[in-house]
Amino acid sequence: MDAKRFAAERAVDYIQENMVVGLGTGSTAYWAIHKLGLKVQEGLNIWAIATSIQSEDIAKKLGIRLISFSEINEIDITIDGADEVDFNFNLIKGGGGALLREKIVAANSKQFIIVVDESKLVKRLGKFPLPIETVKFGYEATLKKLHRLGCEPRLRMIDDKAYITDNGNYIVDCHFGSIEDSQELHDKINRIPGVVDNGLFVNMTRKVIVGYQNGKIRELEKRI
């Protein structure tokens, strides 16, 4: 946990006065939001857009000012975690159930910083099941079409009830195994009626901050 915390706090150092900041969701983003809250209490002036109700609630408690997309043109920096990061900086996200809002925020950010611990670095994506957000209507048919792509789709359940996202949708976790072409799979999944979006984030980040159990922090930059 300390590895994530130190890396998340390093990412917050990139936030400057009068920036619009995207707040991620999950255990890593939790530390980033708390560090940002301390800076705000010390006088840093920023605005934020959260990727989940959970992160929004944390930000409010810490005195971070929240705004909506109607009030801005773009986000300066978004800090978020990932469930897997491959050597090409492609990601699997959505373990926390917020992939759709996370992708919307990331796609509207000038800089998208990913923070992970060393265990999330992989040669190829796919060991972590890929989360896919689907509408409730006809989800059984959607699962069948996902199965035809070569995965084992499972409706995410919490306490014996279907997990519901902040957008009122379902999450389907798909076990594809090793993913050879992230962009191709991303596009095939999103062409299925009923799919809202999926947790493959392809070519969306150029900076990954990695925390190690020995206390070391590495900042990885993708060459253009």
Side-chain angles (χ1 to χ4, degrees), residues 30-101:
Y30 171 90
W31 293 116
I33 297 170
H34 274 266
K35 178 67 173 182
L36 184 58
L38 286 175
K39 288 201 165 191
V40 167
Q41 292 165 22
E42 292 170 355
L44 179 67
N45 185 56
I46 57 99
W47 297 263
I49 290 183
T51 57
S52 66
I53 294 174
Q54 178 188 58
S55 292
E56 195 172 278
D57 289 343
I58 296 171
K60 287 178 180 177
K61 290 177 182 177
L62 296 173
I64 298 173
R65 288 184 298 171
L66 297 169
I67 56 172
S68 67
F69 276 104
S70 65
E71 301 172 82
I72 63 167
N73 293 319
E74 61 186 351
I75 298 167
D76 293 295
I77 289 179
T78 290
I79 299 172
D80 208 347
D83 300 298
E84 286 187 342
V85 182
D86 72 13
F87 288 167
N88 292 315
F89 286 38
N90 296 319
L91 320 169
I92 284 182
K93 289 178 52 57
L99 70 92
L100 179 58
R101 295 192 185 192

Side-chain angles (χ1 to χ4, degrees), residues 79-169:
I79 299 172
D80 208 347
D83 300 298
E84 286 187 342
V85 182
D86 72 13
F87 288 167
N88 292 315
F89 286 38
N90 296 319
L91 320 169
I92 284 182
K93 289 178 52 57
L99 70 92
L100 179 58
R101 295 192 185 192
E102 289 172 339
K103 190 173 282 189
I104 292 171
V105 170
N108 288 280
S109 301
K110 289 191 285 186
Q111 188 172 17
F112 181 39
I113 300 177
I114 290 296
V115 179
V116 294
D117 62 46
E118 58 189 301
S119 69
K120 304 300 174 61
L121 300 179
V122 298
K123 291 182 178 179
R124 185 174 287 179
L125 301 178
K127 185 176 181 180
F128 190 92
L130 177 65
I132 298 171
E133 187 157 343
T134 70
V135 298
K136 293 179 181 179
F137 178 80
Y139 81 92
E140 300 93 340
T142 305
L143 262 65
K144 291 175 184 177
K145 288 187 178 294
L146 288 169
H147 180 72
R148 290 173 194 156
L149 292 182
C151 75
E152 292 296 331
R154 296 179 182 175
L155 185 66
R156 186 177 295 184
M157 307 292 289
I158 302 293
D159 296 328
D160 296 324
K161 295 182 180 180
Y163 174 84
I164 306 298
T165 70
D166 288 347
N167 315 301
N169 299 317

